[in-house]
Amino acid sequence: MYVCICNGLTEARVREAARESGERHSAKAVYRHLGCEARCGLCLPHARRLIAEDGDAAFNAGALAARA
Ligand code: FES
C-alpha cells in the first residue's frame, strides 16, 4: 500500500527506511534517508504512525527478550 503518492513510497519502504536509519520519530528524516522530501505533506501523519508503531514493536520485543 502506498503511503506517499508524491514520492511513490510504500508502507514497506517507509518501515524499511526507518529501521535502516534508526529513526523512530521523524517522517521527514526517514524521507531524507530515502533521498526525497515531503511535498504536499498529506502523508506525514500516516508515515509518523508507521514509524512509531515499528519503534514501539522493536522496543516491546527488546523488553520481552530482556525479561526472558
Ligand atoms: S503524499 Fe507524501 S508528500 Fe504528498
Side-chain angles (χ1 to χ4, degrees):
M1 175 185 241
Y2 280 92
V3 175
C4 176
I5 301 302
C6 294
N7 289 300
L9 301 177
T10 61
E11 285 187 2
R13 188 69 188 110
V14 169
R15 288 180 194 272
E16 180 184 337
R19 282 192 295 272
E20 287 171 359
S21 67
E23 181 57 54
R24 294 173 53 185
H25 304 289
S26 171
K28 289 182 178 179
V30 171
Y31 285 18
R32 276 194 298 279
H33 180 78
L34 290 167
C36 59
E37 62 184 26
R39 296 182 196 168
C40 73
L42 291 176
C43 55
L44 291 175
H46 182 56
R48 279 189 209 106
R49 275 194 301 277
L50 287 178
I51 294 164
E53 285 170 7
D54 273 13
D56 289 347
F59 177 80
N60 290 336
L64 288 174
R67 283 188 192 170

